[in-house]
Amino acid sequence: MKKIGLLFVLLTSAAGTIFYYTDRHFSAPSSQSAYYADYLPADTLAVVSFFDLKGLSQSFPNSALGRFFSKAALRGIMREQGETEEAVQQYEDFHDGAADLLTNPFLQHLFGDDLTFALLKPDFAARRRNPEEELRSRLLGFGTSASGRIVDSIARLTMRDDFSQETVNGLKLTRIRLDDDEPLYAHVQDGVIILAFRPELIAAALRQKEHGSGLTEQPWFRAAQQFWAEAGTDHCYARFSCNLKMLRGLRSLSGFAAAHQGDFQFHSKVEYDAANLPVTVRHQLRSARNLSLSLPTGKTLFYLWTAGLNQQLFASLAPALHQRADQAAQQQLGLPLQEIMTAVGPQAGLMVNGVATTGFFPLPKLALFAQAAQPEAAQQLVNRLRQRITAQGIAAEQVTEAAGHAVYYWNLLPAEAAHPAVALSSQMLYIANGESAMRMLLEQERQADLPQAVRSLLGQELAAQFSQADYAAFFARPALLAAEAEKADVWLNAALGSSREKLRTALLKLMESVDLSVSYGSLTEHQADFTLLLRPAVLRQRPQQE
């Protein structure tokens, strides 16, 4: 099989870096400056840097994600799904090619510490004609080396006939053959290794270094460097920045991935000129104090909140999608979508507090909530929901009270988890399964702050950041979700069939590797900040799937 091209390093390294947390033993990559910026022109489109690639290639196969994508695991899953032996062999060849590339001594010695990719401004007409070729012609790679001879010496030892020395327009280059028709050119100067599929890019990079006033002078790149500095002394695994000036109202996108107190964290920032953004986007830039912070508990498996549910969100949909959403609203509730969006929003979300067994099938202990934007319209929506449920004729409506508010519910089945319940407080519309679950929600609403059990789970620093998020917030307990799913093994096997056992087991193992996943975002007048955190779990041993 042909070796995977250098482009695959970018994709695999990105995925591997994101799930590098599963190894739990973080190595300490060297701190790197943005030395490559001196070689790049002002109109560079994007840069992305990876660190400690050698350590990543060694740890990834033993990580949860690495085991999920192992040949043994995927072979069983693919055969289970009815894939042909040819498809299975193609994946195994792909796996072997990726492993060969990432464990290649040449690349490991060359990029054991850092590797940066830069994408220069493309020719958009050429990109439409041949996107892969245009990408190759605009891609530059950078690394650092203590020896100016390392490219040639390592290539001679490890690649033998796959490399040669060439001189192009007076510039001495090392030509590395990744496969029969894919040469990669390398040049070393002042300890910096420059790679490209096109030798003229290397020459242009050297001229840029000599002349100056390139990427280092660009405000969007300087802002990215300041943002990267926020990682402080944390072990950084990846950094990226994109120039978005060609998009209306946007300036830049930047981010970094780092290990912080045992967690893997990914931070990103989008800078924009709000006045120049499209109208539908501007209306989304409305932050709010989270009114649902008091709702999750120490038993919550999944919590999602956003302040972005408004009419402009649906107005931004394609006309056909908007029409289908409106038709669905009228069929289910007898109300047009516009009236529903007038009644609720912009805050909305959902929670899962466990899985209940009804005697027939498992049900998630689900709670949906949305801000009551206009009390009268929200009450009309509640009344319409009650009418629709009662009209089904399955169960009569029953009413109780909690925290001074009416709770409406219907006994569809004996188990309380099969009792849909609706309530409207002074600030929220709630839908939940079970009147006792609804009663708890209304009582918790009075607290108006993140419960201590959730604060203890997140930790003091993360809890404070999570509470301050003013646009979106999310957390999940994947390992506990997997444990809850296992309680429903009999039903799941019946629903998915025995032919899905290997896939189900592999997914549960992957979920068990993560104790906590947290994400939150905030908006200001000029930028949006988002954070994703993954906290590894102590894995339970499961039988290996053959």
Side-chain angles (χ1 to χ4, degrees):
M1 177 189 176
K2 292 169 62 177
K3 291 183 180 179
I4 305 300
L6 184 62
L7 294 177
F8 182 75
V9 176
L10 175 61
L11 300 177
T12 304
S13 299
T17 300
I18 290 177
F19 291 93
Y20 189 69
Y21 71 92
T22 53
D23 186 48
R24 291 192 65 87
H25 297 290
F26 293 100
S27 59
S30 302
S31 175
Q32 297 292 331
S33 65
Y35 64 89
Y36 52 84
D38 292 334
Y39 297 87
L40 295 173
D43 60 356
T44 298
L45 192 62
V47 293
V48 56
S49 299
F50 303 100
F51 305 99
D52 194 27
L53 295 183
K54 183 176 181 180
L56 173 61
S57 67
Q58 294 172 345
S59 64
F60 181 75
N62 294 321
S63 69
L65 192 69
R67 289 190 291 269
F68 180 86
F69 285 110
S70 68
K71 288 197 297 184
L74 261 294
R75 182 191 307 123
I77 291 172
M78 292 178 72
R79 287 174 176 169
E80 187 178 70
Q81 303 300 311
E83 295 289 349
T84 64
E85 284 301 313
E86 181 182 2
V88 174
Q89 188 60 51
Q90 286 177 347
Y91 174 76
E92 293 190 353
D93 289 346
F94 174 84
H95 181 282
D96 289 342
D100 287 346
L101 185 68
L102 292 177
T103 58
N104 185 294
F106 172 73
L107 292 177
Q108 285 201 350
H109 283 285
L110 193 58
F111 302 117
D113 182 39
D114 69 289
L115 172 62
T116 293
F117 288 94
L119 181 61
L120 306 183
K121 183 179 179 180
D123 181 330
F124 291 101
R127 182 176 178 271
R128 286 190 293 270
R129 292 192 300 269
N130 191 335
E132 183 176 348
E133 177 61 26
E134 178 62 12
L135 177 61
R136 290 177 183 277
S137 68
R138 303 293 175 174
L139 194 64
L140 272 167
F142 296 90
T144 56
S145 172
S147 171
R149 299 179 179 178
I150 193 168
V151 175
D152 287 346
S153 61
I154 296 178
R156 288 181 186 278
L157 290 173
T158 62
M159 305 192 78
R160 295 184 176 90
D161 297 333
D162 291 334
F163 102 104
S164 61
Q165 290 181 317
E166 297 184 8
T167 300
V168 179
N169 296 327
L171 184 64
K172 292 183 179 180
L173 301 173
T174 297
R175 185 180 187 274
I176 305 165
R177 189 176 63 190
L178 296 181
D179 56 43
D180 291 340
D181 56 0
E182 188 180 14
L184 178 67
Y185 296 90
H187 179 78
V188 180
Q189 180 170 301
D190 300 328
V192 174
I193 304 165
I194 309 175
L195 298 171
F197 289 106
R198 302 292 178 265
E200 60 270 19
L201 291 188
I202 296 178
L206 294 174
R207 289 195 299 269
Q208 180 65 62
K209 165 72 171 177
E210 182 180 351
H211 295 155
S213 300
L215 186 59
T216 53
E217 303 298 324
Q218 296 304 300
W220 66 271
F221 186 74
R222 288 184 173 180
Q225 289 182 285
Q226 292 177 355
F227 185 53
W228 296 336
E230 293 182 13
T233 58
D234 290 342
H235 297 165
C236 191
Y237 296 98
R239 300 188 306 212
F240 75 90
S241 185
C242 301
N243 180 4
L244 301 181
K245 288 183 178 180
M246 73 291 296
L247 300 177
R248 179 181 170 188
L250 298 177
R251 293 204 301 264
S252 69
L253 167 65
S254 56
F256 62 88
H260 179 72
Q261 298 181 356
D263 298 333
F264 174 88
Q265 295 191 7
F266 176 80
H267 300 269
S268 63
K269 177 177 69 173
V270 180
E271 295 184 317
Y272 46 76
D273 296 312
N276 295 323
L277 292 171
V279 174
T280 54
V281 176
R282 282 206 306 272
H283 282 293
Q284 289 296 105
L285 302 180
R286 295 178 179 177
S287 60
R289 182 181 65 86
N290 188 347
L291 298 176
S292 71
L293 275 178
S294 61
L295 300 183
T297 70
K299 296 182 179 180
T300 298
L301 303 177
F302 182 95
Y303 165 84
L304 172 66
W305 167 83
T306 178
L309 182 68
N310 52 42
Q311 295 185 48
Q312 285 72 30
L313 176 64
F314 288 94
S316 63
L317 296 175
L321 291 175
H322 188 277
Q323 183 179 10
R324 284 200 291 269
D326 186 60
Q327 289 174 347
Q330 298 209 41
Q331 289 173 358
Q332 297 298 321
L333 299 174
L335 292 173
L337 184 62
Q338 184 174 354
E339 288 190 27
I340 296 175
M341 298 310 302
T342 300
V344 296
Q347 296 194 40
L350 63 91
M351 294 191 308
V352 177
N353 288 324
V355 178
T357 301
T358 65
F360 297 93
F361 47 82
L363 278 177
K365 297 178 181 179
L366 183 66
L368 304 173
F369 53 90
Q371 184 179 3
Q374 295 187 11
E376 292 184 3
Q379 185 62 61
Q380 182 183 0
L381 179 58
V382 169
N383 294 339
R384 188 59 59 92
L385 281 169
R386 294 166 53 200
Q387 293 170 6
R388 288 283 174 163
I389 297 174
T390 303
Q392 301 299 316
I394 300 176
E397 179 184 89
Q398 300 193 47
V399 185
T400 186
E401 185 178 300
H405 304 291
V407 176
Y408 306 95
Y409 64 99
W410 296 261
N411 296 338
L412 300 185
L413 291 172
E416 188 186 357
H419 298 175
V422 180
L424 178 66
S425 73
S426 59
Q427 64 183 24
M428 287 284 188
L429 166 64
Y430 295 103
I431 301 175
N433 50 342
E435 58 273 23
S436 63
M438 182 65 75
R439 188 176 296 111
M440 183 177 297
L441 286 172
L442 292 169
E443 292 290 346
Q444 288 170 210
E445 182 186 279
R446 295 177 172 183
Q447 305 304 315
D449 200 3
L450 201 63
Q452 183 57 46
V454 181
R455 289 185 176 276
S456 298
L457 169 67
L458 300 179
Q460 182 177 357
E461 178 184 354
L462 182 58
Q465 296 167 344
F466 188 85
S467 299
Q468 293 168 6
D470 59 17
Y471 184 75
F474 157 88
F475 76 80
R477 306 293 306 281
L480 292 183
L481 277 167
E484 289 290 315
E486 286 187 284
K487 294 179 182 178
D489 260 355
V490 175
W491 179 83
L492 284 172
N493 283 334
L496 298 175
S498 59
S499 64
R500 300 295 185 267
E501 175 63 22
K502 292 184 184 297
L503 175 60
R504 186 181 68 82
T505 301
L507 289 174
L508 288 175
K509 287 173 63 178
L510 191 59
M511 291 171 63
E512 288 173 351
S513 70
V514 184
D515 176 48
L516 178 66
S517 174
V518 180
S519 181
Y520 52 89
S522 296
L523 301 176
T524 67
E525 184 180 357
H526 301 295
Q527 69 183 49
D529 295 275
F530 293 93
T531 295
L532 169 66
L533 175 144
L534 299 172
R535 180 172 297 166
V538 177
L539 301 182
R540 292 184 295 157
Q541 294 299 316
R542 285 175 169 270
Q544 291 293 323
Q545 296 297 313
E546 298 298 333

